Amino acid sequence: MAGYSKKYRYLFLGEQFDPSTHVIVTFYVESTGELERSVEAVAAESSIGTWTDTEGLSEDLFNRLSAKVFDLKKLDEKTAIIKIAYPLALFETDNIPQIFADVAGNVFGMREVKNLRVRDIELPESFVTANKGPAFGANGVRETLKIYDRPLLGTIIKPKVGLPTKEHARIAYEAWVGGVDIVKDDENLTDQDFNPFYERITRTLEARRKAEEETGEKKLYCPNISSRLSEMYPRAKFVAEMGGRAIMIDIVTVGFSGVQFIRDQQLGLIIHGHRAMHGAFTHSDRHGISMLFVAKMARLAGIDQLHTGTVVGKMEGTKEEVTKINNFLLGDWFGLKPTLPIASGGLHPGLLPELIGMLGKDVIINLGGGIHGHPGGVTQGAKAARQALDAVMKGVDLTEYSKDHKELAEAIEVWGAGSAKMEGEDKGGATYKHALVLSKGLDLA
Ligand code: CAP
Ligand code: MG
């Protein structure tokens, strides 16, 4: 069958492209028809082409802006892992919505592909440094809290929604005095009648001040400002004016335009990135966008701390996947500040040894139900979580440590010590496509 274009070539297999002047994207492709035709279709549709050659597409224009497929690893007759080089000129390098529209836009819906997954993106230095990145970064978050040598302990006010502002602030206070460093709103709490945003900020920041006086520790409150942009900006400004130190944005439901806009305002606020809805496109290992790709966009956009998974909790994410993302976020990236990973979802004190054993100490450990579900209540739940963290940092077995820490003992009594796998299919297990990818010595992403 003829190639995708009669006039132009997208396949440059075996050729090299300068990584300082090209964006390199790795895709997993399952074709509906002839594999190489589908691969060309992906390259065309994600750069300058369409389903047919067009009058205006000159040779010069094509050579300057077309995507070039330079690596193709066949997994079977219809499936391959490919690498595509995109000329830098194709991009508006500090416009994240445009990056998605290029390499993670139309391509997913083409009839030429049965499944398509964007696995990774490698950006040239000039591209990365065109973006602000995090204002605080991992080190700035730690500097704000004056905590340098252990994981940070966070909680989410539970129930997720429904509490009136007074109760919300009280529970936040209880968590802070119990030993939690960071309190955040849940991803679906914004400005509902039962918990108006501006009143919540005033009351909860007052509670934070009280907790700081009593504990002598710095605390963080991350209120959820997610909304339309015309609302997000005044909400963020109000938090800053009221002495807040952080805000939370649902980066997927709000979108990266919103994240970049708030970051551009330089409000002096730590930006906590929640990734609710990411599972709609990161879940399948055969179709969608990897969380690694999303994490790279989040760091470019200026997210200071980002949910990336727990491996042992209720959300999916294999150890390889989560550690790869976390290592990227904490690693050097042409001088952009690192983003602090957040492990959250289904965690309780008994899981901390395994979690920290896998993810290390450069992480925020978020417990929602694992604190607010403690039989003794929130303060005891926070104490149990802090005791578990202290035990791990001292290298003491949890059960041993719980002998003279009753709140921890009560938590272990209810939830155990060690990873009782959450109910439901462990998505992290290898599917046949995973096995195929691994069999070729390729990593999962
Ligand atoms: C956790 C959580 C977080 C998820 C997000 C929830 O509560 O508040 O939103 O962890 O998942 O609503 O489920 P629990 P991820 O501690 O009670 O589970 O961090 O994977 O994006
Ligand atoms: Mg939540």
Side-chain angles (χ1 to χ4, degrees):
M1 183 186 287
Y4 196 64
S5 161
K6 291 187 178 50
K7 282 172 70 180
Y8 300 114
R9 181 166 77 107
Y10 291 96
L11 294 182
F12 291 78
L13 300 182
E15 298 201 25
Q16 298 294 317
F17 289 88
D18 182 353
S20 70
T21 57
H22 287 82
V23 169
I24 310 291
V25 180
T26 308
F27 292 89
Y28 166 95
V29 187
E30 276 181 41
S31 63
T32 47
E34 198 267 323
L35 179 59
E36 286 196 352
R37 179 183 163 80
S38 299
V39 165
E40 285 188 300
V42 170
E45 193 59 44
S46 59
S47 60
I48 193 169
T50 185
W51 61 276
T52 177
D53 294 324
T54 53
E55 183 202 330
L57 184 51
S58 67
E59 184 90 25
D60 167 58
L61 207 49
F62 181 82
N63 292 336
R64 277 194 293 118
L65 292 177
S66 72
K68 283 92 175 167
V69 184
F70 65 93
D71 189 51
L72 186 152
K73 287 188 176 56
K74 259 188 169 180
L75 301 177
D76 62 32
E77 277 317 296
K78 295 272 191 184
T79 312
I81 302 276
I82 63 171
K83 282 183 182 287
I84 299 184
Y86 294 84
L88 213 43
L90 192 63
F91 299 89
E92 181 187 358
T93 51
D94 64 349
N95 177 345
I96 293 177
Q98 193 270 343
I99 301 169
F100 275 94
D102 255 334
V103 303
N106 279 0
V107 282
F108 294 115
M110 300 192 305
R111 289 184 191 285
E112 296 278 354
V113 295
K114 185 173 173 208
N115 283 300
L116 181 72
R117 177 176 171 81
V118 178
R119 286 161 54 96
D120 196 3
I121 186 168
E122 293 147 79
L123 299 171
E125 179 168 6
S126 62
F127 198 122
V128 173
T129 53
N131 289 272
K132 289 189 173 65
F136 288 78
N139 302 328
V141 172
R142 287 187 173 282
E143 182 51 39
T144 303
L145 287 167
K146 305 287 182 230
I147 301 170
Y148 304 98
D149 53 5
R150 64 170 171 82
L152 305 180
L153 192 56
T155 191
I156 312 102
I157 300 294
K158 299 286 180 180
K160 299 174 88 100
V161 290
L163 295 176
T165 55
K166 230 170 153 180
E167 194 53 10
H168 182 101
R170 180 191 68 77
I171 289 181
Y173 166 79
E174 300 276 357
W176 278 317
V177 295
V180 152
D181 306 307
I182 302 170
V183 169
K184 66 179 277 294
D185 289 351
D186 228 323
E187 69 281 354
N188 57 340
L189 177 65
T190 50
D191 182 31
Q192 289 95 325
D193 294 346
F194 50 76
N195 192 332
F197 178 86
Y198 291 94
E199 193 186 316
R200 178 164 80 248
I201 301 309
T202 310
R203 289 185 186 280
T204 311
L205 287 180
E206 185 43 42
R208 189 201 76 190
R209 268 184 283 277
K210 196 159 162 272
E212 288 184 333
E213 276 155 29
E214 288 176 21
T215 60
E217 294 177 343
K218 284 282 181 196
K219 304 292 184 182
L220 219 48
Y221 171 45
C222 305
N224 186 2
I225 65 165
S226 304
S227 179
R228 65 179 66 77
L229 214 38
S230 56
E231 273 301 326
M232 285 175 67
Y233 185 36
R235 290 182 193 180
K237 277 202 297 186
F238 183 73
V239 171
E241 284 154 14
M242 295 301 286
R245 301 187 183 110
I247 46 175
M248 173 172 125
I249 300 177
D250 293 335
I251 63 172
V252 178
T253 60
V254 163
F256 280 95
S257 168
V259 176
Q260 287 192 282
F261 175 84
I262 294 295
R263 172 68 182 90
D264 288 348
Q265 305 320 305
Q266 320 237 39
L267 293 169
L269 296 170
I270 288 166
I271 306 180
H272 177 116
H274 195 289
R275 60 177 183 166
M277 192 167 93
H278 76 93
F281 48 80
T282 58
H283 177 82
S284 165
D285 55 19
R286 299 168 63 182
H287 188 79
I289 304 171
S290 71
M291 184 59 210
L292 177 62
F293 185 100
V294 174
K296 292 191 173 182
M297 295 300 111
R299 186 172 174 185
L300 279 188
I303 294 297
D304 293 294
Q305 48 198 51
L306 176 70
H307 287 246
T308 57
T310 66
V311 186
V312 294
K314 73 183 182 187
M315 302 292 196
E316 67 196 13
T318 62
K319 182 174 178 242
E320 295 72 23
E321 193 183 5
V322 175
T323 45
K324 184 170 181 178
I325 295 166
N326 290 6
N327 291 340
F328 159 74
L329 287 175
L330 291 165
D332 182 49
W333 201 25
F334 302 123
L336 228 57
K337 287 181 180 170
T339 296
L340 193 53
I342 303 166
S344 176
L347 296 178
H348 57 75
L351 293 176
L352 264 56
E354 206 172 344
L355 182 85
I356 297 168
M358 269 189 288
L359 302 185
K361 69 171 183 55
D362 265 338
V363 65
I364 295 174
I365 300 173
N366 248 12
L367 297 88
I371 282 182
H372 301 268
H374 189 282
V378 182
T379 301
Q380 288 66 24
K383 282 182 178 173
R386 188 67 179 266
Q387 288 161 4
L389 179 55
D390 293 346
V392 174
M393 297 317 286
K394 290 172 182 162
V396 176
D397 170 78
L398 276 199
T399 308
E400 192 53 37
Y401 201 75
S402 70
K403 285 177 181 152
D404 45 13
H405 293 87
K406 78 176 180 59
E407 293 84 359
L408 179 56
E410 287 161 354
I412 292 173
E413 180 68 27
V414 177
W415 294 310
S419 68
K421 273 265 177 268
M422 289 283 162
E423 294 304 309
E425 178 228 353
D426 177 2
K427 160 115 180 26
T431 64
Y432 88 94
K433 283 293 180 183
H434 262 140
L436 214 48
V437 169
L438 293 173
S439 71
K440 302 285 179 185
L442 298 166
D443 62 350
L444 301 175

